[in-house]
Amino acid sequence: MGKGEQVVDLKFVAARGENVEVCFEPVGTTFSLSDGEAIFLRTAISNLASLEIVSWPNGIGVWLPCPGDHAIIDSGGNEIDTL
């Protein structure tokens, strides 16, 4: 994300009492969430039209435009990975 570029945080959360895996493609980075845990994908607003999000039982696949400068943020606001 370029300096001064507007960004958005997309939230991915496991339902209460449930587990879910969130996989970011094409890199294959996966996070396992449970019981209300959440992560956020921080990306430039200009990337939104290129994102593809697919869900299936206990899983969410997020296809990112590549190459890209995306960050994964935990619920405390800390950057835990870059994609």
Side-chain angles (χ1 to χ4, degrees), residues 6-80:
Q6 291 184 319
V7 298
V8 63
D9 288 349
L10 300 175
K11 184 178 184 179
F12 299 94
V13 61
R16 293 281 176 207
E18 298 293 330
N19 298 314
V20 68
E21 287 195 351
V22 183
C23 183
F24 295 93
E25 298 291 357
V27 293
T29 301
T30 302
F31 295 90
S32 296
L33 307 175
S34 62
D35 195 29
E37 286 181 313
I39 59 170
F40 299 83
L41 169 65
R42 179 169 291 159
T43 191
I45 288 176
S46 60
N47 289 328
L48 289 181
S50 301
L51 288 177
E52 181 178 342
I53 301 172
V54 180
S55 67
W56 62 91
N58 300 99
I60 302 169
V62 183
W63 283 85
L64 304 169
C66 202
D69 186 14
H70 316 279
I72 304 299
I73 311 296
D74 68 14
S75 55
N78 303 301
E79 184 175 307
I80 56 175

